Amino acid sequence: MKILSGEQLAQADASTIQKQQISSIDLMERVATLVFERLHQRLNGAPVPIKVFCGIGNNGGDGLAIARHLIQHGYHVTTYVTNCSKKRSKDFLVNYDRIKEVTKDWPILLSCKDDFPEIGQQDIVIDAIFGTGINRPIDGWMAEFVEHINNSRAFKVAVDMPSGLFADQAQNDAPVIRANHTFTFQTPKLSFFLPETGNLVGTYEVINIGLDPEYMMQVQPLANLVDKDLAQHMYKNRNPFSHKGDYGHVLVMAGSEGKMGAAVLASGAAINAGAGKVTALIPEDGNTILQCSVPEVMSILSSGESHVTNFDHELQNYVLCVGPGLGLKDDTFSAFAKAISKQASPVVIDADGINLLSKDLDLLKKIPENSILTPHDGELKGLIGEWKGSYDKLSKAQKFSMEHKVILVLKGAFTFTVTPQGMFVNDSGNPGMATAGSGDVLSGVIAAFLAQKYDPITATLFGVYLHGASGDLAVQTYAHEGLKASIISNFIGPAILNLFRQPQQQPPQQQ
């Protein structure tokens, strides 16, 4: 699914109106009907008080049309208009007249703080004040009104965007309605996935409003959303006459004294994600730990007892995964540099591998094209420097990716994969995965798909999605607090199976 800018969505609206030969008010009615249907499915006629707050632009027109449908179906609706300007959109005015045709209780105008209505705990608030068209922070009495809504304990539903939230530009500290749920149109917005703004959206639901398919197909998005449907298409079925040699060999260069768990997790995850063979290059003292923990993994022992000091072996045709728990010793750096210089195909670099790389960025010239780097924020700063907010971070990461022809996996609540061709946002995972070792598992999973001859971008996107999906399955048994990295790794197989399971249908209720 594409993630478009506010400007692109406005162009999509215009293209739809032209090609489908409908008016803007017809498109607004389509939108309002679809939102009403989603609300009606959930409320099912419940006698709850609903307060619809409308702006005076097109988002307000949506709100008035939604309120009209609710009123016509017997809901207890009070409609308000935030009278913050004399400028009203044409479609707002059309729907302002239409709502007067179905109720004697005309919309209540709010013009100052004294007009603020009381909002009860049992109320449902529908926010249709400002949509994607907002281009400046909310101020004045409207800012106080946003805080008034936020301070209520009502359930808040945003129409397209929580009012005050920008779709695709940096957010300051100006007031934004904190929604519990957002009905957004055609595509999610980039701000839904960023740490500064994602919590303002609540849960979100994308409603397909039938925008011009030709425009939607051709437009270059800000990013693409990787979800279950896309992940299904990435999966490659296995040949029943294949053997382990067909699924590649992963060499995990990892581990040091006190951090052998990282080597165990990364190599174990590579096995769990389907690599035909996995070998771990580890310090001598870690061999017993590895062999007892993951008997499926072979080992090559470095000459160093407590950390890896060299890169000498006779392996051929492997995918290198380097960095988990590796440490930052000088001779480890030398071994790392030698390992990188010997590679001709893409590698996966994680954790201490990225920290070692940051010691000498000239090594970037020796990294094969389309190699995959999986930093957390602290490690990323060693590559791209400091940033001011998430948009600046993404911009610098994109520049780094294009300059060095590598893939960056920016781990977070919504993991961003940044490639020279564009950005991708992952839609799986949960807060329980914020646990030690989770990143080591991810690096092993991605390396396994590289070894299975997935192209580097697909291996990355599929690995990131399955990693999150594994956590989503595991959390149903272990809860957020009980989730640990080894459990996530053990759910990779079930997550692949779950890609192709159909949701269970509820049996029909007896009358």
Side-chain angles (χ1 to χ4, degrees):
M1 182 183 294
K2 293 182 176 182
I3 299 172
L4 303 185
S5 69
E7 182 179 353
Q8 288 172 321
L9 285 166
Q11 292 169 355
D13 283 352
S15 181
T16 302
I17 289 167
Q18 178 187 7
K19 291 184 179 179
Q20 296 181 8
Q21 296 185 335
I22 61 173
S23 65
S24 57
I25 193 66
D26 291 335
L27 182 58
M28 183 175 287
E29 186 67 17
R30 180 193 298 177
V31 168
T33 301
L34 290 169
V35 174
F36 161 74
E37 288 173 352
R38 301 293 178 98
L39 289 168
H40 190 41
Q41 286 171 3
R42 290 163 172 78
L43 296 176
N44 196 27
V48 294
I50 301 173
K51 290 182 168 64
V52 183
F53 294 104
C54 305
I56 54 177
N58 284 347
N59 194 241
D62 291 336
L64 289 170
I66 293 165
R68 168 166 44 85
H69 285 291
L70 289 167
I71 291 167
Q72 288 177 309
H73 284 78
Y75 286 96
H76 301 172
V77 180
T78 307
T79 311
Y80 301 87
V81 172
T82 56
N83 196 28
C84 55
S85 169
K86 294 182 180 179
K87 297 179 181 179
R88 287 154 170 72
S89 77
K90 183 180 74 172
D91 291 340
F92 165 86
L93 290 172
V94 170
N95 273 310
Y96 190 72
D97 288 337
R98 286 180 177 178
I99 198 171
K100 292 178 180 179
E101 296 173 1
V102 300
T103 178
K104 296 180 181 179
D105 297 323
W106 290 3
I108 300 169
L109 298 182
L110 306 177
S111 301
C112 64
K113 188 174 181 179
D114 291 341
D115 295 335
F116 293 177
E118 182 178 345
I119 301 175
Q121 181 177 344
Q122 304 303 317
D123 291 349
I124 292 176
V125 166
I126 297 179
D127 161 32
I129 303 172
F130 299 110
T132 56
I134 190 170
N135 55 17
R136 62 183 178 85
I138 298 175
D139 56 13
W141 70 267
M142 280 296 299
E144 295 183 84
F145 183 55
V146 168
E147 290 305 310
H148 176 68
I149 292 176
N150 285 340
N151 290 335
S152 75
R153 299 178 64 183
F155 189 87
K156 306 167 191 70
V157 177
V159 176
D160 198 22
M161 297 274 293
S163 291
L165 180 63
F166 299 147
D168 45 61
Q169 58 180 299
Q171 194 80 24
N172 55 23
D173 294 329
V176 177
I177 286 182
R178 294 191 292 272
N180 299 103
H181 187 76
T182 298
F183 291 112
T184 197
F185 306 142
Q186 202 68 35
T187 77
K189 314 305 186 283
L190 192 60
S191 56
F192 291 8
F193 305 104
L194 303 178
E196 301 95 328
T197 51
N199 284 332
L200 301 170
V201 179
T203 55
Y204 75 88
E205 189 172 344
V206 179
I207 298 178
N208 186 336
I209 60 173
L211 295 184
D212 175 28
E214 183 179 1
Y215 177 90
M216 297 299 296
M217 181 69 69
Q218 294 177 354
V219 66
Q220 183 64 33
L222 296 177
N224 284 281
L225 186 67
V226 180
D227 56 12
K228 183 176 180 178
D229 289 341
L230 184 56
Q232 284 178 343
H233 289 90
M234 294 178 182
Y235 178 72
K236 298 197 302 188
N237 284 308
R238 292 196 166 194
N239 184 328
F241 294 98
S242 59
H243 55 83
K244 66 181 179 183
D246 295 323
Y247 302 114
H249 189 177
V250 174
L251 175 60
V252 178
M253 180 177 172
S256 59
E257 185 176 10
K259 298 179 181 177
M260 279 307 301
V264 170
L265 289 167
S267 55
I271 284 286
N272 287 342
K277 295 187 293 184
V278 177
T279 299
L281 173 56
I282 55 174
E284 289 183 5
D285 288 352
N287 193 45
T288 301
I289 295 173
L290 180 81
Q291 295 290 290
C292 291
S293 301
V294 197
E296 300 88 350
V297 175
M298 300 171 287
S299 62
I300 297 174
L301 303 183
S302 166
S303 58
E305 294 181 356
S306 63
H307 58 280
V308 174
T309 59
N310 62 300
F311 189 78
D312 295 314
H313 62 80
E314 297 180 357
L315 300 179
Q316 301 292 325
N317 300 321
Y318 60 86
V319 169
L320 178 65
C321 174
V322 55
L326 196 59
L328 304 176
K329 302 284 188 181
D330 289 343
D331 43 3
T332 301
F333 174 79
S334 299
F336 170 78
K338 184 177 180 182
I340 292 298
S341 66
K342 283 181 171 288
Q343 306 308 309
S345 57
V347 303
V348 179
I349 305 177
D350 182 37
D352 281 339
I354 297 170
N355 292 327
L356 290 168
L357 184 61
S358 298
K359 284 187 171 187
D360 184 3
L361 292 177
D362 284 341
L363 281 175
L364 285 165
K365 299 173 185 176
K366 298 183 179 181
I367 294 176
E369 285 188 18
N370 292 316
S371 288
I372 300 146
L373 283 60
T374 60
H376 60 55
D377 278 358
E379 294 157 354
L380 181 64
K381 288 176 183 177
L383 300 177
I384 68 173
E386 300 284 342
W387 56 79
K388 297 179 180 178
S390 291
Y391 287 96
D392 187 36
K393 169 183 161 182
L394 292 174
S395 176
K396 289 183 174 180
Q398 185 78 69
K399 181 179 178 182
F400 182 93
S401 173
M402 295 174 68
E403 180 180 352
H404 299 289
K405 298 178 181 178
V406 296
I407 299 167
L408 289 175
V409 177
L410 310 183
K411 294 178 286 195
F414 289 96
T415 292
F416 279 73
T417 297
V418 181
T419 78
Q421 292 77 32
M423 290 193 302
F424 300 82
V425 185
N426 186 58
D427 193 34
S428 62
N430 61 80
M433 301 180 72
T435 184
S438 180
D440 303 325
V441 171
L442 175 61
S443 63
V445 171
I446 294 172
F449 289 120
L450 269 183
Q452 293 169 76
K453 296 183 172 55
Y454 286 71
D455 70 82
I457 292 178
T458 302
T460 305
L461 299 178
F462 194 44
V464 169
Y465 179 84
L466 276 181
H467 179 254
S470 302
D472 288 340
L473 279 179
V475 80
Q476 296 175 32
T477 300
Y478 291 91
H480 291 149
E481 293 77 7
L483 211 56
K484 59 183 180 179
S486 58
I487 293 173
I488 297 169
S489 181
N490 288 334
F491 272 81
I492 293 167
I496 293 174
L497 288 175
N498 198 55
L499 281 176
F500 303 99
R501 284 203 179 103
Q502 297 299 320
Q504 289 186 349
Q505 293 186 347
Q506 296 295 325
Q509 294 184 357
Q510 295 183 354
Q511 299 294 323

